[in-house]
Amino acid sequence: NQGTWKVLFVMIILAMIGYVINGVIEINAKKASEEFTDTPVRTNVMQSPTNRYSNDFIISAANEANEKLPIKVDNTTTLVSITAGDQIIYTNYQINIARAQDINISKFTAGAFADAKQTACSDRNLRDLLNHDIRLDYVYSGYDGSHIATVGILKWDCS
C-alpha cells in the first residue's frame, strides 16, 4: 500500500543521508527494500511504479525524514533539514565552524561533488531515484546562514 512505499522512500532518503555523511547514520535501505518487496500492492494508485516518484510523494517522504533532524554529523557538520519540490530532494547541511567567506568555495564544491557523485552513482537506491528524474541536491551553509555551495547530482552524472 502507499504507506509501505512511503516508509521505503523515507528509508531511501535516510540511506542517502547516511552514505553522504560517511556512514554516521547507518540505514540499511537494501534490507528495507527486500522487506517491502513481497508486500502486496493493494491500491490501484500504487500499481504504477512511477507514482512512488511523484512530486507529492517525495515531498511527503522528505517531510517524514525531516522529523528526525537536525542531526550532528561530526564535529563540523550538522544535517539541518531535508526538503523536496519540483522533483528535487534537498539535504541541507550547516558547517558549524565556518562561514562562506572562510572557505575556498571552488575547492569545497569540487570535493563535495566528487563525494556525492560517487555515493549516488554507486548506490542502487539512489541511482533508482536519479533514473526516475529526481535530482539530489546537497546544500551547504555556514554557521551564520551564509550559503557556501549547492551540489546537484543528476542521472547523467552517473553515465
Side-chain angles (χ1 to χ4, degrees):
N1 66 21
Q2 191 165 4
T4 300
W5 284 110
K6 189 178 284 187
V7 168
L8 176 59
F9 201 81
V10 168
M11 295 296 291
I12 290 169
I13 290 172
L14 289 174
M16 173 180 65
I17 295 164
Y19 286 115
V20 169
I21 60 178
N22 299 319
V24 172
I25 304 169
E26 295 182 11
I27 301 294
N28 189 340
K30 181 178 178 186
K31 180 179 177 190
S33 178
E34 291 168 357
E35 201 172 297
F36 294 127
T37 300
D38 295 329
T39 303
V41 176
R42 293 187 177 94
T43 64
N44 290 335
V45 172
M46 294 308 297
Q47 293 298 325
S48 169
T50 57
N51 287 328
R52 292 189 305 243
Y53 305 99
S54 73
N55 199 49
D56 289 341
F57 191 81
I58 66 168
I59 289 169
S60 176
N63 288 339
E64 284 187 34
N66 200 41
E67 291 174 7
K68 309 231 185 284
L69 303 176
I71 295 174
K72 189 166 174 93
V73 175
D74 56 30
N75 290 332
T76 62
T77 311
T78 300
L79 176 57
V80 178
S81 66
I82 301 169
T83 56
D86 298 325
Q87 296 301 101
I88 304 168
I89 298 171
Y90 302 91
T91 53
N92 302 288
Y93 297 91
Q94 179 180 335
I95 307 301
N96 302 319
I97 61 168
R99 300 168 295 174
Q101 66 191 39
D102 302 327
I103 294 177
N104 179 327
I105 303 295
S106 60
K107 191 173 187 177
F108 179 90
T109 303
F113 178 79
D115 290 345
K117 178 180 173 182
Q118 192 282 326
T119 299
C121 296
S122 64
D123 180 84
R124 181 185 62 148
N125 293 312
L126 297 178
R127 276 299 288 268
D128 189 46
L129 292 172
L130 292 169
N131 289 336
H132 284 89
D133 297 317
I134 296 172
R135 189 171 84 199
L136 308 175
D137 276 13
Y138 306 89
V139 182
Y140 299 90
S141 299
Y143 66 79
D144 63 347
S146 59
H147 180 261
I148 295 172
T150 299
V151 175
I153 304 297
L154 301 162
K155 67 180 174 183
W156 51 78
D157 289 320
C158 297
S159 50

